[in-house]
Amino acid sequence: MINAEGACGYGNLFKQGYGLETTALSTALFNDGLTCGACYQIMCYNTTWCLQNSPTIQVTATNFCPANYSKPTENWCNPPLKHFDLSQPMFRTIAEYKAGIVPVLYRRVLCRKTGGIKFEIKGNPYWILVLVYNVGGVGDVHDVKVKGGNNTEWLSMTRSWGQNWVTGAPLVGQSMSFRVTTGDGRMVQSDNVVPAGWKFGDVYEGKQF
């Protein structure tokens, strides 16, 4: 699912702290949205278009670069190619912009984030959608559990799309705690991070990896 919020659901990247240090990922890297939030170090490689001294950038995966099967000459995001669709300022940091596309070397790196994990509460009284962002460590969230203030058990949330997680549990009017597990299996628990008087559209800050 792709809409105005992007394929990861982050929406306003500046408000959320991602800024221009972002990239869209090709199908081979995107993993149907599970890679959203992951961080990469990238450098231009083996072309005259690279800037001197081979500068590197670190970017967060915040969107999807869809495949284009109708134009064989514009297939950079088609599988099995691993392609990063960078913001213009990030591309200009490593290569001359008129090059358009350059070969790169890349690696996954830990995400450096300021503050705790953010939980944006969306949805309606019948189903609650939570956008999870600003995640440190490996950055990609693979599991989210929620517990209401009146509950004794943790409830598994379902990933709707990108990093939006949904539950149909009746949690309106209750405080909420979250367990967030990233792709490397690490888990962070934020107890009562959302107060009982929360409203749809509110954003709350929990613990960090």
Side-chain angles (χ1 to χ4, degrees), residues 163-177:
Q163 287 299 350
N164 283 285
W165 297 77
V166 66
T167 178
L171 298 175
V172 174
Q174 298 185 44
S175 62
M176 289 188 284
S177 304

Side-chain angles (χ1 to χ4, degrees), residues 11-83:
N12 190 326
L13 298 177
F14 286 93
K15 181 179 179 181
Q16 295 169 351
Y18 294 115
L20 293 170
E21 297 175 346
T22 62
T23 184
L25 301 179
S26 64
T27 301
L29 293 168
F30 191 65
N31 195 18
D32 195 31
L34 272 177
T35 314
C36 290
C39 295
Y40 293 87
Q41 185 183 71
I42 301 173
M43 65 178 289
C44 181
Y45 175 70
N46 198 30
T47 175
T48 57
W49 296 113
C50 295
L51 298 186
Q52 290 185 350
N53 301 318
S54 301
T56 63
I57 57 173
Q58 180 166 323
V59 292
T60 303
T62 59
N63 213 334
F64 175 54
C65 181
N68 187 346
Y69 299 107
S70 63
K71 297 182 179 180
T73 59
E74 299 179 10
N75 63 351
W76 315 293
C77 291
N78 292 12
L81 298 179
K82 296 179 179 179
H83 179 79

Side-chain angles (χ1 to χ4, degrees), residues 116-129:
I117 299 172
K118 302 292 182 63
F119 303 93
E120 181 177 351
I121 314 300
K122 300 186 285 186
N124 59 53
Y126 304 100
W127 52 269
I128 296 172
L129 189 72

